[in-house]
Amino acid sequence: MWDPVFLRGVNLRLEFPVERYGLAITREAQFEIPGTPNPLRAFIERSIEDWQIRVDTKFGFWDNRHSEEDQRVGGFGFGVWATHEVASFYAAQRDKRMVRKRKTRLYKNEADIALGARSFEGIVLTLDSKPGPLRDACEAGGRVAFLDRLPRSPDRLGLAVGKLLASPQS
């Protein structure tokens, strides 16, 4: 999602006003940022701070497979409860898709699974419309806006995303 925002010079706060939207990234998305080349990485880090993008962390308990800095969930006072729908999506996806960790310290498709789960509680913007967790989420009723299906240069990203979400199979 960051690539078109960066390349088009999109102001997320203008497109998604704070009075109407809360912008967030998943904990898993944080793992992908350090491996992103500059100047895109610098843009992402600056945007998270400038636009007050919060990290959406689900409540959970310590996972012995991960170090302290690699924990995916937050404990008491840090994570939010997952709905039954979100927990069910995670359960269905984890068994099928996670095999081994990559250099990002994430399992294959782990970040997309987290985003797919969030689509049942909010709107997920992505460039990834290939078969996988995000398409699975969309087909199961999640709200996923596939930005690669937008016209090349919409005047207003927020309006284009709204129209995309209003159409069947966003």
Side-chain angles (χ1 to χ4, degrees), residues 119-156:
S119 74
F120 294 99
E121 301 171 327
I123 299 168
V124 171
L125 307 179
T126 182
L127 284 171
D128 189 3
S129 63
K130 70 183 184 305
L134 293 167
R135 281 231 326 241
D136 293 349
C138 185
E139 290 166 6
R143 296 181 54 150
V144 181
F146 296 105
L147 299 181
D148 55 345
R149 297 180 183 173
L150 289 176
R152 267 193 81 69
S153 296
D155 291 335
R156 294 288 310 269

